[in-house]
């Protein structure tokens, strides 16, 4: 299949996938089509993050070893012969029909999000007179971000799951979710008034929460992409020690191949322990900061619901994080752990409007 034909087929698939939710939203226009489209993008991106984690955790990241298609075709059915041949040559390798489908469905979802952002951009352009240029510029930024995210998705495959590339791919997805949530919350979309004499959430505390959560998400991604989850198979100790042997330089040399040091040697068990241990240690700081945020936020009437969500998500993260170790990395717990991290970002972005002097956000 020629490159032009491949891209045309993938474009048609993206349009069809995006057209299904758009058709539904078009029938519900009385609720505000543009606003609903923005929240649909938040929902779709959250789903994409969780499905991306499923793709990684099921070892399907190289189910189709080329990009953007699968063995030069638009779907695994057309590449069945190549997949069977690769599977016969490497029966225990990353190639199978099921894994190819998982990988391609992940790409279809990513293309759908990109297509919906293009629709969002066109609508923002059509509403410049009523909403101003802020939504238009914001949508342009989102389109640029999703294109960068797509590039890292391609490099994930072509660079054979290099840890820093895969980790950055996840981080950019989380950033995209946060930006889409902020976009959907723009005050120009809503009619709520600024309440008088309303106590505010401290902006510095919220900034600290964003900072520690961002670092912890990277550390978690670094654990996952280096397959270091089971490097410490016990809890709360690591191989029976409360401070295991560490090798920080080897562990956090970012530019290297999967499983190898920068010099091309195999990564040592001590380095994997260090990667895992760093994530555990930093979790204590994250719990301290976010728990403090919870106690502050619960005192504000307008943030009671979000503070309860924050507490629930923190409890979920602790339970699923421990479960990943105690129960030897079960798929469900790992997916919930990734989804919980994304949900925490969503929660903090919603809270951020109180630190920046915004009134409660309600959909029209």
């Amino acid at each position: 299949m020629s490159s032009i034909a491949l891209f045309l087929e993938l474009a048609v698939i993206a349009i069809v996938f995006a057209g299904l939710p758009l058709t539904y939203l078009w029938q519900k226009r009385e609720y505000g089509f543009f606003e609903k489209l923005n929240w649909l993008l938040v929902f779709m991106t959250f789903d994409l993050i969780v499905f991306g984690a499923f793709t990684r955790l099921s070892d399907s990241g190289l189910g189709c070893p080329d990009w953007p298609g699968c063995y030069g075709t638009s779907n695994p059915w057309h590449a069945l012969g190549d997949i069977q041949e690769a599977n016969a040559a490497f029966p225990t390798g990353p190639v199978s029909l099921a894994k190819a489908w998982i990988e391609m469905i992940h790409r279809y979802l990513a293309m759908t999000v990109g297509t919906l952002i293009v629709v969002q951009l066109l609508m923002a352009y059509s509403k410049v007179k009523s909403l101003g240029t802020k939504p238009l510029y914001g949508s342009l930024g989102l389109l640029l971000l999703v294109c960068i995210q797509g590039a890292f998705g391609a490099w994930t495959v072509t660079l054979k799951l290099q840890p820093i590339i895969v980790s950055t791919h996840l981080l950019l997805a989380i950033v995209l979710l946060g930006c889409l949530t902020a976009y959907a919350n723009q005050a120009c979309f809503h009619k709520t008034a600024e309440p008088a004499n309303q106590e505010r959430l401290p902006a510095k505390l919220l900034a600290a929460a964003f900072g520690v959560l961002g670092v912890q998400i990277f550390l978690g991604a670094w654990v996952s992409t280096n397959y270091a989850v089971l490097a410490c198979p016990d809890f709360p100790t690591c191989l029976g020690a409360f401070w295991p042997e560490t090798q920080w330089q080897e562990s956090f040399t970012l530019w290297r191949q999967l499983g190898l040091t920068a010099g091309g040697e195999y990564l040592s068990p001590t380095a994997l322990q260090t990667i895992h241990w760093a994530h555990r240690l930093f979790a204590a700081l994250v719990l301290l900061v976010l728990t403090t945020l919870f106690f502050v936020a619960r005192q504000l009437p307008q943030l009671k619901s979000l503070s309860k969500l924050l507490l629930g998500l923190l409890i979920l993260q602790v339970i699923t994080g421990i479960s990943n170790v105690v129960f030897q990395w079960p798929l469900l717990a790992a997916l919930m752990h990734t989804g919980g991290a994304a949900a925490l970002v969503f929660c903090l972005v919603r809270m951020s409007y109180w630190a920046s002097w915004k009134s409660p956000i309600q959909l029209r």
Side-chain angles (χ1 to χ4, degrees):
M1 179 180 292
S2 68
S3 298
I4 295 177
L6 173 60
F7 277 99
L8 286 176
E9 284 193 16
L10 291 174
V12 169
I13 291 172
I15 291 171
V16 170
F17 271 56
L20 295 175
L22 285 175
T23 301
Y24 174 79
L25 293 183
W26 189 262
Q27 294 175 344
K28 302 290 183 180
R29 295 188 68 185
E30 65 273 16
Y31 296 105
F33 181 82
F34 191 31
E35 292 88 340
K36 288 292 186 181
L37 171 62
N38 296 332
W39 286 110
L40 171 66
L41 273 164
V42 173
F43 174 76
M44 290 287 297
T45 303
F46 179 84
D47 289 347
L48 180 60
I49 290 169
V50 175
F51 198 85
F54 176 69
T55 302
R56 182 177 69 257
L57 294 167
S58 61
D59 292 323
S60 302
L62 295 178
C64 293
D66 53 337
W67 190 93
C70 189
Y71 292 92
T73 70
S74 62
N75 67 77
W77 278 328
H78 293 164
L80 185 58
D82 292 313
I83 293 171
Q84 290 175 337
E85 183 179 343
N87 188 234
F90 303 98
T92 60
V95 180
S96 69
L97 183 60
K99 290 181 178 181
W101 270 114
I102 291 172
E103 170 66 1
M104 286 308 295
I105 290 173
H106 176 57
R107 295 183 193 179
Y108 295 156
L109 289 174
M111 291 188 299
T112 300
V113 169
T115 303
L116 290 174
I117 289 178
V118 171
V119 175
Q120 179 196 66
L121 175 63
L122 294 175
M123 293 207 65
Y125 177 76
S126 71
K127 293 178 176 289
V128 167
K129 290 185 178 180
S130 59
L131 298 179
T133 58
K134 185 178 178 181
L136 176 62
Y137 293 144
S139 194
L140 280 170
L142 290 170
L143 182 60
L144 176 61
L145 180 56
V146 83
C147 289
I148 295 172
Q149 172 71 342
F152 273 91
W155 293 330
T156 293
V157 176
T158 58
L159 295 178
K160 308 302 180 187
L161 306 182
Q162 189 168 327
I164 188 59
I165 298 297
V166 182
S167 297
T168 303
H169 189 50
L170 173 59
L171 278 177
L172 286 175
I174 296 289
V175 170
L176 179 62
L177 175 68
C179 290
L180 284 167
T181 304
Y183 188 95
N185 273 297
Q186 288 183 92
C188 61
F189 295 150
H190 310 284
K191 297 295 186 181
T192 52
E194 182 73 30
N197 301 319
Q198 190 83 58
E199 188 178 357
R200 309 296 176 179
L201 187 64
K204 291 183 179 179
L205 176 59
L206 193 56
F210 272 114
V212 297
L213 181 59
V215 173
Q216 182 68 346
I217 289 174
F218 170 77
L219 290 174
W222 196 241
V223 170
S224 181
T225 56
N226 282 281
Y227 295 89
V229 175
L230 300 181
C232 294
D234 49 332
F235 184 87
T237 58
C238 178
L239 297 174
F242 281 99
W243 190 270
E245 183 182 358
T246 56
Q247 174 52 268
W248 295 98
Q249 183 175 356
E250 182 181 342
S251 303
F252 289 93
T253 299
L254 300 182
W255 191 260
R256 55 177 175 76
Q257 296 301 312
L258 176 62
L260 302 177
T261 66
E265 300 174 350
Y266 286 110
L267 207 62
S268 68
T270 302
L272 295 176
Q273 289 169 205
T274 306
I275 292 171
H276 183 116
W277 195 244
H279 185 54
R280 279 202 207 178
L281 287 178
F282 204 78
L285 179 59
V286 175
L287 281 174
L288 175 63
V289 174
L290 294 189
T291 301
T292 302
L293 180 62
F294 160 73
F295 281 112
V296 173
R298 70 191 292 264
Q299 304 300 320
L300 307 180
Q302 69 273 23
L303 284 180
K304 281 189 175 180
S305 295
L306 282 174
S307 65
K308 291 177 182 177
L309 175 62
L310 176 64
L311 179 62
L313 290 172
L314 280 176
I315 294 172
L316 174 69
Q317 288 303 88
V318 171
I319 292 173
T320 55
I322 295 174
S323 296
N324 280 330
V325 176
V326 174
F327 298 112
Q328 303 295 292
W329 207 14
L331 179 60
L332 180 60
L335 290 176
M336 292 178 68
H337 201 57
T338 301
L344 279 170
V345 171
F346 170 84
C347 185
L348 292 186
V349 172
R350 292 282 284 175
M351 285 182 164
S352 69
Y353 281 80
W354 292 101
S356 58
W357 302 87
K358 294 291 190 297
S359 55
I361 300 299
Q362 301 290 336
L363 286 176
R364 285 187 289 179

